[in-house]
Amino acid sequence: MPRSTASAAAAGDGESALPALRPRAAVSGRGGAPAHLAPTGDPLLAAKFSVPSVPRKAIRRQRLLDRLTEGTAGPLTLITGPAGAGKTTLAASWARGGSAPGPVAWLTAEQDDRAPGVFWAYVLEALNHHQVVLPDEVGQPGSADRVDHSLLARLASALAQLRRPVVLVIDGLEHVPVRAVTSGLDFVLNHAGPQLRLVLVSRVDPLLPLHRYRADGRIREIRGPDLAFTRQEAARLLRGHGLGGHEESVDALLARTEGWAAGLRLCALEMQRADDPAEFARSFAASQSALADYLLTEVFAAQPAATQELLMRGSILDRVHPDLANVLTEREDAEWILAELTRAHLFVEPIDSTPWCRYQPLFSEVLRMHLRHHRPGLEPRLRRRAATWLADTGRLAEGMEQAAAAADWEWACTRMVGRLEIGHLLTGPEAARLERVFSAMPGDLPGAAPALVAAACALARYDTAGCRARLDRAEDALRKPGARPAPEARLAAALLRLLAGAPAQGGDDVCGTAESVARRTRELAERLPRPLVEAHQEIEALRRYGLACGLQLGGRPDEAMAAFDHAVEGCTAEVTRTVRQGSLGRLALMESERGELSRAEKHALLALELIGDRSVPPTPWSGISHLALAAVALERGELRAARRRLDLAAASPDAGHDPVTDAEIAVVRSRLELAHGRWQAALAALKGDTDAGPLAPGPAQRLAVARSAAQLARGDPESAIAALAESGGGGAAHTLALVQARLAAGDLDRALGLLVSLDRRPDAGTAEQIRVLLLRSRAAALAQDTDAACRLLHDALATARPERARRPFTEAGAWVWHLLAQRPELATGHAWLLDRPARVNGTSRTDGGRPSTPVMVETLTDREREVLRHGAELLSTEEIAEAMYLSVNTVKTHLRSIYRKLTVSRRADAVRRARELHLL
């Protein structure tokens, strides 16, 4: 169509600043081609100048329209993305929306427009078609193969003199990958000034110096991720297709399509036809969907044969490396092909500036379907090749996933055992992923290797009984007549046996078995090639950890601590991180038991740092570190912090499966209840473990000591002594608890006799030292030797002060506070003991100074208070029993408990002390 001033006047928005020219039979300055013809003599197709219509059900995406409006305030806007991403729809919606700063000239480029002369002829005609009047002097290309530079200069000059900006939208620029064309666009854009706003729509980045535009801030980009539908937009799309009642399907569709516009729209159409739209959204198969036709015809079929082959074979992978693609295709050009695919946004994108690429999930699914249909039987062979390459290059979990997808469990298990990789199921960044892979393995596979791998999976889930059962099966296979088990298999069996532990039958059995199996594991490792063993540091780390756990379970805490320390020292590699975390947590727990609270806190926090490191995928982490911190907080009298940490430990995966963890959770919970004066709840917290069957010596001793403390709080020293006797004895903590119970029972001589064995023990921990001094102070107080009692109490406080250990004093009884009240200088020197709120008969004490009157920390129960009130009324024991509907013996039991808590021996003294404490 010839340009004219009349058409410009009619348009009113593309008027030229140059003098109006008379109508012309548009003749090129180079060859005389009519304006409505290309330099080739072919007609210029008017359809290419029409702004595409917007589908009736298209979703108005205001966030992108606003970005496009913002972009056209500058010289260049680039919209790129894969086929069907909604690029053209977005640009057309915007062009029709009236937000442009001036007239919008539209050109749809095609393959036939590659010749520079043809392309520029279409550009000039697009401007003319949309009423942008340019002077005749601009001219027309006279040759299809080239465009004279002067024509581009005249065009830029004419555009620069327009009164209003013009927006030129070129859609499909990927069809014109010609350097001469894009360099001409760059020249015109740079010399037309602010009057030309260029919008380029393309599947690939145009051959423009984009880096320069970005550096100058002269470009706005809308890329594939920006074009992806948000959840709200996807929900609106479903509603637009009459599927408003199925918005719960949005997440499933987004996960499958990753927000790809065409995919979502085709899914919506399929859902409209489905009998159960929601079920279709959850589980539709690509082979039954129009999506497959779209992707195969629009994307796959348009590629060269070599590219199609790579796409099909690579579709079995979640991510593709050029070297792996070469293995699958048996070619050597994968790097170039993948680079072209990613540059063209053909549903293949690079991963974080690495050589790796990933397919869009739906595209990958369609390609796999195509592979299975056209190359039956090839997929399993490809997966086996991929599994070998991935495992050999250090991507063990990915390799095992490929083997599992091919159902090649024999190869996978033989590899895990034969290459000493079975430890990766228990520690390291891939442990959880590997466990998920092999948990899908059939349970009836023959042979030792599958049984060993299954045993490791059970152990990773804290299922020690299941681990032992599978180990029995594996060892039967290894001992079969004629079997010649490889040393790697025997080593795996021994290591798993060590980590699974032996059923509790006694201290010597548990510890002796652990030591024996640990020695055998080391001997088997020494028979293997040294490079193989050194390449798998996790084997030795797990061996040390298993030995330490066995010693802890068997009730030999000092040796267990040394073993855990040794295990931590051996955990230097990334793959041993889980072992390091567990070893630090268990070491911290045992240090808290010894009263080494600062060290325990440090080690527990280090263990939690390993769990919280986001570079490590989630694993079945142990709650032992939170449990150690709960014990530390409890020892320091920080009851709220202890409760919070205890709740975290109880919610951890190993809670309910590990005897040490379960016993310590019960102990800490019981002690917390005692700190609040609730002896019934303290006993109830320990009861569940008595019903769990035989316990190993370590947990049994810990629970017995805690049960004894609860019985003492109840006022029943005989039951406390009996609880300790049931555990079989052993260990300083057990002896100290027995001394305390003997003192409470008034058996001073036997208590002192027991203490002799603990005096000046060279390996005594801080907690033991504090309690020995406290018990001797208590014994001196009972013997009326106040000076000795105060001296020993001072020594206990001095020992406890560096660790701020308060619980030994608050649980010792009211006699501690009675002594502090008698010796103000002693209380003043140890004000740290109450520098945090403490519980005094159920109310908070916050003064932090020395007590002016005896202070009772152990709370009286409601029934004890009632007995005390009746005693203050001078009622006899029989009268109190009658008034409270109790037996006389029960009243006497309450009175003994009251006397103990108030540190008195007579009823009159108890009433006086209660009044001092405002209990009456």
Side-chain angles (χ1 to χ4, degrees):
M1 179 189 301
R3 301 178 181 85
S4 67
T5 54
S7 62
D13 60 1
E15 191 173 349
S16 173
L18 295 176
L21 301 175
R22 65 180 183 276
R24 60 185 173 88
V27 176
S28 164
R30 299 179 56 85
H36 58 280
L37 296 178
T40 58
D42 297 323
L44 298 174
L45 302 175
K48 293 187 177 186
F49 311 129
S50 298
V51 178
S53 60
V54 178
R56 181 174 57 84
K57 293 182 180 180
I59 301 302
R60 183 175 177 82
R61 307 170 73 188
Q62 194 60 47
R63 63 183 178 91
L64 297 178
L65 295 173
D66 291 343
R67 289 184 62 175
L68 197 43
T69 300
E70 178 187 347
T72 54
L76 179 60
T77 304
L78 180 61
I79 305 174
T80 57
K87 306 180 297 297
T88 299
T89 299
L90 171 64
S93 298
W94 178 83
R96 292 176 177 276
S99 300
V104 177
W106 186 282
L107 172 60
T108 300
E110 295 179 339
Q111 291 269 2
D112 294 338
D113 305 334
R114 288 169 173 257
V118 174
F119 175 81
W120 282 106
Y122 269 110
V123 168
L124 292 168
E125 191 61 23
L127 294 168
N128 176 61
H129 183 87
H130 290 280
Q131 311 296 319
V132 178
V133 178
L134 299 174
D136 290 345
E137 282 81 357
V138 171
Q140 292 286 325
S143 168
D145 297 331
R146 61 186 297 274
V147 173
D148 192 76
H149 181 74
S150 64
L151 185 148
L152 299 180
R154 293 194 299 272
L155 174 60
S157 175
L159 291 171
Q161 297 180 61
L162 294 175
R163 293 176 181 172
R164 295 182 59 191
V166 58
V167 179
L168 175 59
V169 180
I170 303 177
D171 184 22
L173 191 62
E174 72 274 4
H175 297 304
V176 193
V178 179
R179 181 75 64 180
V181 168
T182 52
S183 63
L185 280 173
D186 183 43
F187 174 82
V188 171
L189 187 60
N190 281 313
H191 292 85
Q195 299 307 89
L196 176 61
R197 316 291 171 83
L198 187 59
V199 177
L200 301 180
V201 183
S202 177
R203 293 185 184 181
V204 301
D205 284 354
L207 300 175
L208 288 169
L210 297 179
H211 61 281
R212 191 181 71 209
Y213 285 94
R214 291 177 185 131
D216 295 341
R218 300 170 60 226
I219 184 174
R220 294 292 182 270
E221 298 178 72
I222 301 175
R223 295 196 166 266
D226 305 312
L227 293 165
F229 269 56
T230 65
R231 193 183 191 286
Q232 292 78 9
E233 290 167 346
R236 285 166 49 206
L237 186 145
L238 287 187
R239 289 196 296 270
H241 284 76
L243 297 167
H246 297 280
E247 292 191 10
E248 74 281 357
S249 302
V250 169
D251 291 332
L253 292 177
L254 284 176
R256 181 61 78 72
T257 63
E258 296 188 339
W260 176 44
L264 283 169
R265 190 173 302 281
L266 289 169
C267 283
L269 293 172
E270 294 280 350
M271 287 176 68
Q272 284 180 316
R273 294 191 290 268
D275 294 333
D276 186 349
E279 176 60 24
F280 171 85
R282 285 191 298 270
S283 59
F284 73 88
S287 59
Q288 300 170 356
S289 172
L291 285 166
D293 294 335
Y294 183 93
L295 289 169
L296 290 173
T297 56
E298 292 291 325
V299 180
F300 180 76
Q303 306 308 313
T307 302
Q308 290 184 11
E309 194 70 16
L310 186 148
L311 284 171
M312 266 201 308
R313 292 177 178 237
S315 67
I316 65 167
L317 303 165
D318 290 330
R319 55 181 192 149
V320 188
H321 189 280
D323 293 343
L324 177 53
N326 284 332
V327 168
L328 296 180
T329 60
E330 300 178 281
R331 296 170 59 95
E332 297 181 356
D333 54 358
E335 183 174 7
W336 180 84
I337 293 175
L338 287 171
E340 286 297 302
L341 289 170
T342 56
R343 190 184 71 83
H345 300 288
L346 289 175
F347 298 94
V348 179
E349 55 189 39
I351 300 176
D352 301 329
S353 302
T354 69
W356 292 87
C357 303
R358 64 178 290 274
Y359 290 6
Q360 197 267 0
L362 195 57
F363 188 42
S364 183
E365 183 179 348
V366 169
L367 291 173
R368 282 197 301 274
M369 176 268 294
H370 194 69
L371 172 68
R372 291 163 188 162
H373 180 73
H374 291 278
R375 305 287 179 82
L378 178 59
E379 182 180 355
R381 298 199 300 273
L382 292 175
R383 289 191 182 277
R384 174 65 179 276
R385 283 189 214 168
T388 302
W389 187 91
L390 289 164
D392 287 346
T393 55
R395 298 164 181 88
L396 184 61
E398 283 185 79
M400 294 302 110
E401 285 169 348
Q402 288 298 322
D408 197 347
W409 297 109
E410 181 181 358
W411 177 88
C413 293
T414 302
R415 163 105 193 194
M416 291 292 292
V417 174
R419 299 285 188 93
L420 286 191
E421 292 165 338
I422 199 164
H424 289 273
L425 278 160
L426 303 172
T427 180
E430 294 190 312
R433 190 171 174 184
L434 283 167
E435 191 275 329
R436 285 194 299 272
V437 171
F438 285 103
S439 291
M441 182 172 63
D444 57 352
L445 294 177
L452 288 169
V453 171
C457 287
L459 192 60
R461 298 189 297 268
Y462 300 105
D463 179 8
T464 52
C467 176
R468 292 187 196 114
R470 291 164 175 81
L471 270 177
D472 291 343
R473 198 176 73 196
E475 289 169 347
D476 287 345
L478 293 174
R479 289 193 295 263
K480 283 177 63 175
R484 302 180 63 183
E488 293 86 355
R490 288 189 290 162
L491 172 59
L495 179 63
L496 291 172
R497 184 65 73 184
L498 174 64
L499 293 167
Q505 296 175 351
D508 291 339
D509 288 332
V510 174
C511 295
T513 299
E515 290 172 324
S516 173
V517 178
R519 280 195 301 272
R520 175 166 172 74
T521 305
R522 184 179 58 207
E523 290 167 0
L524 288 168
E526 289 171 351
R527 297 177 192 174
L528 294 173
R530 182 174 294 275
L532 176 63
V533 176
E534 290 178 348
H536 291 282
Q537 298 181 35
E538 70 277 4
I539 299 296
E540 173 62 13
L542 286 166
R543 188 194 72 83
R544 295 183 185 183
Y545 177 74
L547 173 60
C549 288
L551 295 172
Q552 182 186 28
L553 197 64
R556 283 157 56 178
D558 294 340
E559 294 173 66
M561 285 183 63
F564 280 124
D565 226 348
H566 189 47
V568 170
E569 290 175 2
C571 296
T572 57
E574 179 70 15
V575 72
T576 61
R577 180 179 292 234
T578 309
V579 181
R580 182 177 179 83
Q581 181 260 324
S583 299
L584 283 169
R586 287 179 180 263
L587 180 61
L589 184 62
M590 303 189 80
E591 287 169 338
S592 72
E593 296 167 8
R594 285 177 57 87
E596 298 169 5
L597 304 185
S598 298
R599 285 175 58 85
E601 185 176 42
K602 172 187 174 183
H603 287 147
L605 291 174
L606 281 174
L608 289 176
E609 283 182 17
L610 294 174
I611 296 174
D613 189 338
R614 295 183 181 274
S615 67
V616 179
T619 58
W621 54 271
S622 169
I624 206 85
S625 303
H626 286 299
L627 192 52
L629 291 173
V632 169
L634 183 59
E635 290 297 314
R636 289 174 173 168
E638 300 162 355
L639 303 188
R640 288 185 180 178
R643 175 71 66 183
R644 180 171 59 85
R645 291 290 184 179
L646 177 61
D647 290 343
L648 290 170
S652 64
D654 55 340
H657 300 284
D658 175 61
V660 170
T661 301
D662 293 345
E664 290 302 327
I665 286 174
V667 167
V668 173
R669 183 171 285 120
S670 177
R671 288 176 175 174
L672 268 172
E673 297 296 350
L674 283 183
H676 289 90
R678 300 189 287 261
W679 63 263
Q680 299 99 326
L683 281 172
L686 301 166
K687 187 176 186 304
D689 293 88
T690 63
D691 301 334
L695 289 172
Q701 291 168 15
R702 296 287 296 159
L703 289 167
V705 170
R707 195 171 293 112
S708 172
Q711 293 290 4
L712 285 180
R714 179 187 182 184
D716 190 353
E718 296 303 325
S719 294
I721 294 170
L724 292 168
E726 290 173 2
S727 73
H734 185 276
T735 303
L736 287 169
L738 187 56
V739 170
Q740 192 167 0
R742 292 291 180 191
L743 285 175
D747 195 348
L748 182 59
D749 291 339
R750 293 183 68 179
L752 291 174
L754 289 167
L755 270 178
V756 171
S757 64
L758 298 178
D759 281 340
R760 297 182 177 83
R761 236 169 39 98
D763 56 347
T766 302
E768 180 182 336
Q769 296 174 39
I770 295 169
R771 292 183 186 279
V772 167
L773 290 167
L774 274 174
L775 288 170
R776 288 208 169 275
S777 176
R778 173 64 169 148
L782 290 173
Q784 305 300 317
D785 188 349
T786 304
D787 289 341
C790 289
R791 185 179 65 255
L792 289 163
L793 177 58
H794 172 272
D795 291 346
L797 288 165
T799 304
R801 182 171 185 169
E803 300 290 357
R804 304 194 312 281
R806 298 183 179 87
R807 190 176 69 86
F809 303 94
T810 59
E811 283 195 355
W815 64 270
V816 170
W817 312 102
H818 184 55
L819 285 179
L820 290 175
Q822 289 180 333
R823 298 293 175 92
E825 71 282 0
L826 183 60
T828 301
H830 293 284
W832 64 271
L833 190 60
L834 285 177
D835 67 359
R836 293 174 183 267
R839 301 294 296 178
V840 181
N841 277 316
T843 60
S844 292
R845 169 184 174 81
T846 57
D847 56 10
R850 69 177 184 272
S852 58
T853 59
V855 176
M856 188 186 74
V857 173
E858 191 170 351
T859 307
L860 294 181
T861 66
D862 292 340
R863 186 58 62 88
E864 288 168 350
R865 288 181 183 230
E866 188 176 355
V867 169
L868 192 56
R869 282 196 296 271
H870 287 306
E873 296 169 358
L874 302 180
L875 296 179
S876 67
T877 302
E878 291 77 10
E879 289 170 333
I880 295 173
E882 184 178 354
M884 296 181 65
Y885 302 99
L886 299 174
S887 70
V888 172
N889 286 335
T890 300
V891 172
K892 289 180 179 178
T893 298
H894 286 314
L895 286 171
R896 286 197 301 269
S897 179
I898 292 169
Y899 298 162
R900 180 182 61 81
K901 292 180 178 180
L902 296 178
T903 322
V904 296
S905 57
R906 299 185 305 166
R907 185 187 301 186
D909 292 338
V911 171
R912 177 180 55 80
R913 182 68 53 78
R915 284 176 175 150
E916 290 175 349
L917 295 172
H918 307 290
L919 299 178
L920 293 176

